[in-house]
Every structure is written in structure tokens, then in C-alpha cells.
Amino acid sequence: MFKISTLVLCAALALTACTRPQVQLGPDGQPLPVAYKITPKEEAQIAPRLGGQMNMLRANVGAGPLTENPMLTIAAKAHARDMSAQNRAWHFGSDGSSPLDRIRRQGFMGHLIGENISETYENDITTLNAWMQTRDTRDVVMDPRATEFGVGWYQEPSGKVWWVLLTAGGSATGAAPGGGFAAAAAGYMPTNPGF
């Protein structure tokens, strides 16, 4: 009886070892990152998940919640695809447009707070965490004047994801539009409300 149960246990361990994914190591001996794949099911979960995470962070400092705005989302998605076409993460569109230009094209007349961008193989929450590590990009998420957000992404066949997050306020109140800019390495922050 002992031999049979030992044999079954060994067979189960052998099968488990066969199904475990192989970790590939890079030249530095560290595991290579595995690209995050956005599935159709995952697409519907990104904006609510990201919004929930941002709202938890904002609540910790007494800032109001953000709600998703479809006009900001459309502008963000278009810019994510455009960054991929340009093969560079930056705040200008291939037509020379700024974040303010792109949200106006979608009919958003509120105050632009900022734009965060990223070129990565990681998911939305990991990308948000990276944005929270730098003051300029953290301010785009945490600005207490922000009331709305839009998030867009474009995933290339290689797995690379281009992320864009826009935050804004005042669309419902008819606040004066804002949006000068001082482009940071990864965040767009308006600095001159009269621009």
C-alpha cells in the first residue's frame, strides 16, 4: 500500500513540474518580464478597476472621486494608438496636437488637469503604480480639482501597451478651459490656465 501511494505522489509531482511555466532569464540572470495580454474580457474591466484604484488613493488625501468621461476616454484611446504609430511615448500627436487639442476635438470643454502616458508591457495597475512614483505624473492623478478621467490603451502584436490617462474637471459646470503645458518625461501638466 505504501509503495502505491508513494508512486502516485511521485507521478503527481512529476506532472506538476511538467505543467509549471518555464521562467526565462535575461543576460543579467533576472527573470524576463512576461507581457500582459489585454483580452476582450479584460478590456471592459480596465477603466472601472483603474478608476477604483485612483479613487482609493485620492480618498486617502481627501480628494473627491473621479468618474469616467467618454469624451476623455475617446481622446486617450486615439492618442495611445497614435503614439504606437509614431513609436514614441510623448504628448504630441502626429498632427502636432496637444492633449488640450485632442479633448476639445471630442467636445470636452472642461479644464484639463493633465495627461500621463506610458510605453510598457505591464498592466494598468502596475502602470498606475509607476505614475504614482513621480511627482509630475502623481499630480495628474491626485489633483483635487480633477473630477473626471479617461483612459486609453493600444496593445501591439508584440505585447507592448501604450497607455494614456487624462484627468480633467469642470465639464458639467462650464468652467473655463485650461491647458498651457510643461511636458514632463511621462506626464503632461497644464501650467498656464490662459493658454
Side-chain angles (χ1 to χ4, degrees), residues 9-21:
L9 179 61
C10 288
L13 288 173
L15 286 175
T16 302
C18 291
T19 60
R20 193 173 304 163

Side-chain angles (χ1 to χ4, degrees), residues 18-82:
C18 291
T19 60
R20 193 173 304 163
Q22 295 281 345
V23 175
Q24 290 185 323
L25 300 179
D28 61 356
Q30 297 297 316
L32 293 174
V34 177
Y36 164 70
K37 179 67 177 151
I38 300 174
T39 64
K41 178 182 176 186
E42 181 77 7
E43 285 188 27
Q45 298 170 355
I46 291 172
R49 181 175 54 228
L50 190 63
Q53 289 295 312
M54 290 189 297
N55 286 338
M56 283 193 317
L57 293 166
R58 291 170 61 83
N60 288 334
V61 297
L66 300 173
T67 57
E68 186 181 8
N69 181 298
M71 291 179 277
L72 296 175
T73 295
I74 291 168
K77 286 183 177 185
H79 188 54
R81 184 176 283 275
D82 188 45

Side-chain angles (χ1 to χ4, degrees), residues 24-191:
Q24 290 185 323
L25 300 179
D28 61 356
Q30 297 297 316
L32 293 174
V34 177
Y36 164 70
K37 179 67 177 151
I38 300 174
T39 64
K41 178 182 176 186
E42 181 77 7
E43 285 188 27
Q45 298 170 355
I46 291 172
R49 181 175 54 228
L50 190 63
Q53 289 295 312
M54 290 189 297
N55 286 338
M56 283 193 317
L57 293 166
R58 291 170 61 83
N60 288 334
V61 297
L66 300 173
T67 57
E68 186 181 8
N69 181 298
M71 291 179 277
L72 296 175
T73 295
I74 291 168
K77 286 183 177 185
H79 188 54
R81 184 176 283 275
D82 188 45
M83 286 191 307
S84 171
Q86 296 182 67
N87 197 32
R88 63 178 163 180
W90 76 325
H91 298 285
F92 293 98
S94 56
D95 61 355
S97 63
S98 71
L100 185 60
D101 295 331
R102 292 188 295 274
I103 67 171
R104 294 292 185 255
R105 284 182 196 154
Q106 298 308 318
F108 185 88
M109 293 299 152
H111 179 82
L112 175 66
I113 301 298
E115 175 181 75
N116 285 346
I117 57 176
S118 179
E119 172 186 3
T120 185
Y121 289 89
E122 298 173 323
N123 69 17
D124 51 308
I125 300 304
T126 306
T127 302
L128 174 62
N129 184 50
W131 287 333
M132 294 303 290
Q133 302 306 310
T134 304
R135 181 169 184 223
D136 289 343
T137 52
R138 181 176 52 248
D139 288 350
V140 170
V141 174
M142 302 300 286
D143 192 306
R145 298 171 299 164
T147 57
E148 299 169 90
F149 78 97
V151 61
W153 62 89
Y154 177 72
Q155 187 162 40
E156 296 179 350
S158 68
K160 183 189 292 185
V161 185
W162 301 84
W163 293 101
V164 177
L165 172 71
L166 291 163
T167 60
S171 71
T173 63
F181 78 83
Y188 168 91
M189 291 288 296
T191 57

